[in-house]
Amino acid sequence: MLEQLQSVLADRSEAGRDALLTMLSSMLFDGRQPTAQEVSLFADIAHKLLPHTGEEARSVVSARLGSKAGLPKGLVLALASDVLLVASPILAGNPDLTDDDLADLAFRLDDGHRIAIAGRENLSFRVTDVLVSRGNVLVLRAVAENTSSEISDASAHKLVDRAADDEELCRILALRNDLPEGDAERLVMLVAKRLRGRMARPAPIEAAPATPPPVAIAFPEATRPVEIGKLIQEVAAKERTLDSAVLALAAADRYNDLATLLTAITHIDELSILKVLVRSDANGIVNVLRALDIEEATWAQVVKLRQRRLRFSDTQARFEREDFAKLAPAKAKQTLAQFAHRRQAS
């Protein structure tokens, strides 16, 4: 190694500088914990070499240092402010970047850098506020998808505003359970509006064969993607049981599509279905599914979907399964008919 280092030091070309920087970073940080003196010396050398080395060499060094603690702040910020290929490992994982550092970087760098910052664990309100105010829709999606980070009420409001024009952001936000009540209600309205768009253009349902046998899905099938329009057609044509369709969507955590299916089957407006599906009080969705003669095993899968969405306890999940079992289907059908009548009258 010493001979190689001497050879590299003698080479004053850009390739030589690249080799020197990557070799030093490997010697100091691969599989060992360098001393404070070694780190300080490396930082001094790196500061002098970084402006004169190639992007590939800088990215190799950044990848080695990405998650290392205790590096000189000047070196960390220099790498974090570099081109995206170099900056990403530092922005995404370096533990020495403070809220002040991250907020400043999010303010002055571009959207690619902001996406890297948005993926960090446990971002504070201060940082996510800057990301939301300065970022494009891809940054907003990354912020919304990071459930470990804090989102202020002001940022939540902006995210829901932007979700009106971006279906993917709408979908991601719908998986969060920390939005303010007013914004969560607006988000439900947005999702319902999209469901109305789907239902307004249903594909024609072909007549079923004379005696079509119902097709039950084995449980592994439940997680396979199924296009919702096709699923509704199959249920309407009795080519697939309603139980198997509900099971498939619940197991895949596709609650929006489950609401679409139940709207098509019950003819209750999609906003009402969506609300009862993700409401903390399960009484409404219990009545809907019990009235449709859904089996208890299928309801148990819906409870799992609700538990993932609402993050309630296993005890609460057990109560919901028990409440479903106690409710008589005839009583549920009566309740559902009365609800439908009131909606029509209004």
Side-chain angles (χ1 to χ4, degrees):
M1 181 66 74
L2 180 59
E3 290 176 357
Q4 290 177 341
L5 186 57
Q6 289 172 334
S7 174
V8 166
L9 286 169
D11 184 352
R12 297 181 179 273
S13 66
E14 180 177 310
R17 291 192 292 269
D18 290 357
L20 175 59
L21 190 60
T22 55
M23 182 178 292
L24 285 174
S25 65
S26 176
M27 289 172 60
L28 291 177
F29 297 100
D30 281 357
R32 65 185 297 271
Q33 179 61 47
T35 66
Q37 185 178 8
E38 289 172 329
V39 171
S40 178
L41 179 59
F42 172 79
D44 289 341
I45 296 172
H47 270 302
K48 294 174 182 176
L49 289 179
L50 281 173
H52 309 289
T53 54
E55 183 177 311
E56 183 177 351
R58 302 198 309 276
S59 68
V60 169
V61 173
S62 180
R64 286 199 176 108
L65 303 183
S67 60
K68 303 293 184 184
L71 298 173
K73 182 58 70 71
L75 175 59
V76 174
L77 292 177
L79 291 169
S81 304
D82 208 323
V83 297
L84 184 58
L85 180 65
V86 179
S88 289
I90 301 294
L91 293 174
N94 189 270
D96 291 330
L97 289 174
T98 65
D99 280 358
D100 286 343
D101 298 327
L102 292 168
D104 175 65
L105 291 165
F107 183 84
R108 62 185 178 83
L109 298 179
D110 60 27
D111 286 322
H113 293 74
R114 293 186 186 106
I115 290 173
I117 295 172
R120 291 177 67 100
E121 291 291 317
N122 302 314
L123 289 175
S124 69
F125 292 129
R126 181 178 178 188
V127 180
T128 54
D129 280 350
V130 178
L131 292 171
V132 170
S133 66
R134 302 283 292 180
N136 65 13
V137 71
L138 297 179
V139 177
L140 303 191
R141 290 176 187 174
V143 171
E145 202 160 24
N146 186 351
T147 55
S148 73
S149 296
E150 299 174 330
I151 295 180
S152 68
D153 289 357
S155 287
H157 195 76
K158 292 176 183 176
L159 287 169
V160 175
D161 283 346
R162 293 291 295 272
D165 301 315
D166 187 76
E167 184 169 359
E168 180 63 12
L169 179 57
C170 187
R171 182 194 68 79
I172 294 169
L173 285 172
L175 298 176
R176 297 189 68 102
N177 66 350
D178 58 351
L179 299 179
E181 184 176 351
D183 290 307
E185 184 72 16
R186 285 201 303 137
L187 186 65
V188 168
M189 296 292 289
L190 288 176
V191 173
K193 181 179 178 181
R194 296 185 185 282
L195 294 180
R196 280 197 297 271
R198 291 187 195 178
M199 299 305 296
R201 299 182 297 276
I205 299 176
E206 299 179 1
T211 54
V215 179
I217 302 179
F219 186 76
E221 176 85 6
T223 58
R224 297 178 191 169
V226 183
E227 198 275 319
I228 184 60
K230 182 173 184 292
L231 199 65
I232 292 172
Q233 289 184 26
E234 291 174 353
V235 171
K238 301 189 184 302
E239 296 171 354
R240 171 170 289 182
T241 64
L242 179 59
D243 257 295
S244 71
V246 172
L247 179 64
L249 296 175
D253 208 27
R254 293 168 57 183
Y255 75 95
N256 285 344
D257 287 339
L258 178 55
T260 302
L261 172 65
L262 296 177
T263 296
I265 298 300
T266 64
H267 304 294
I268 295 174
D269 67 282
E270 65 281 1
L271 179 56
S272 295
I273 291 291
L274 190 62
K275 281 184 174 180
V276 298
L277 182 59
V278 295
R279 183 175 290 165
S280 57
D281 176 6
N283 185 59
I285 192 61
V286 165
N287 274 280
V288 170
L289 294 183
R290 199 60 161 151
L292 294 174
D293 295 316
I294 292 299
E295 296 178 0
E296 291 184 25
T298 302
W299 169 248
Q301 194 65 46
V302 175
V303 171
K304 289 181 181 179
L305 178 152
R306 286 173 45 77
Q307 189 174 14
R308 288 191 296 270
R309 166 67 179 162
L310 301 174
R311 299 186 182 182
F312 52 70
S313 66
D314 290 340
T315 300
Q316 178 63 32
R318 177 169 56 82
F319 288 154
E320 292 194 358
R321 292 193 297 270
E322 292 174 353
D323 288 344
F324 185 88
K326 293 175 184 175
L327 180 62
K331 178 65 174 176
K333 290 174 183 178
Q334 181 182 9
T335 301
L336 196 63
Q338 289 172 347
F339 174 81
H341 180 73
R342 287 196 302 271
R343 295 293 293 180
Q344 289 174 356
S346 63

